[in-house]
Amino acid sequence: MNESEVSESFEQHEHSSKDFYLEVGPADTDGQPAPWDSAAFAEQLRRDVEAVLSLTFDVSRGIVDPTGGYTYWYESDERSVSLQVSDPEEGDPFPFDKVPALLIIRSRSEEVATWELAAGLYRDLCSLGTYFILAETKHGDLVTANFDVGDDW
């Protein structure tokens, strides 16, 4: 999917959803599922999001929760970003079993819409080639995905 198609995918949901959820997981390696290590994945995804967005998460608020997950926050006058990484739950249906991390970016600016920030973050993370990413609206409508999620959406 090229850059304009990604933008169009997000923009078409602008009026029905102000929030977009990026569900993220490790991409397969040589056709095999990547081994899961929540601490290593949380650290790598946190670093990649910080680099892509040129920000630093508030590490003092990055916590390990009792379920073994990780939560990071960033807030400014222009945007807020949250990242939650937890172990996939047994019985999670496909494709959610492949994308256990939740990444949400919101615009606080009148010049840039949330869909634009979400589309840019999706596009930039996809370009790394190391993640499966599924984007959906807060209502559960599929926006786009960089892997086959099937036809039963």
Side-chain angles (χ1 to χ4, degrees):
M1 187 176 270
N2 67 38
E3 189 170 323
S4 66
E5 290 172 326
V6 168
S7 292
E8 288 173 17
S9 295
F10 281 86
E11 187 177 17
Q12 73 179 352
H13 293 281
E14 175 185 23
H15 298 292
S16 65
S17 181
K18 295 298 180 193
D19 288 334
F20 296 89
Y21 302 148
L22 302 183
E23 317 251 355
V24 185
D28 291 347
T29 307
D30 298 323
Q32 298 297 317
W36 179 251
D37 178 334
S38 61
F41 182 76
E43 180 66 16
Q44 185 61 53
L45 182 56
R46 179 188 62 81
R47 285 183 189 171
D48 286 342
V49 171
E50 287 178 336
V52 163
L53 296 176
S54 299
L55 60 80
T56 301
F57 280 110
D58 186 349
V59 178
S60 67
R61 291 180 66 187
I63 58 168
V64 177
D65 68 34
T67 65
Y70 300 85
T71 302
Y72 305 97
W73 295 93
Y74 172 83
E75 296 184 33
S76 72
D77 291 341
E78 297 174 357
R79 61 191 171 183
S80 68
V81 183
S82 66
L83 171 60
Q84 300 168 344
V85 178
S86 57
D87 288 329
E89 299 214 8
E90 195 166 321
D92 274 350
F94 177 83
F96 296 103
D97 59 338
K98 292 189 158 294
V99 287
L102 178 62
L103 181 55
I104 303 170
I105 186 168
R106 291 182 182 102
S107 177
R108 292 183 169 174
S109 164
E110 292 191 24
E111 289 84 39
V112 179
T114 294
W115 73 263
E116 293 174 285
L117 292 178
L121 181 55
Y122 173 87
R123 188 176 43 253
D124 291 346
L125 287 177
C126 284
S127 73
L128 298 175
T130 56
Y131 299 109
F132 282 143
I133 307 170
L134 181 151
E136 65 177 325
T137 68
K138 71 177 183 178
H139 305 296
D141 298 322
L142 178 65
V143 175
T144 190
N146 69 344
F147 65 104
D148 184 7
V149 298
D151 297 329
D152 296 332
W153 199 263

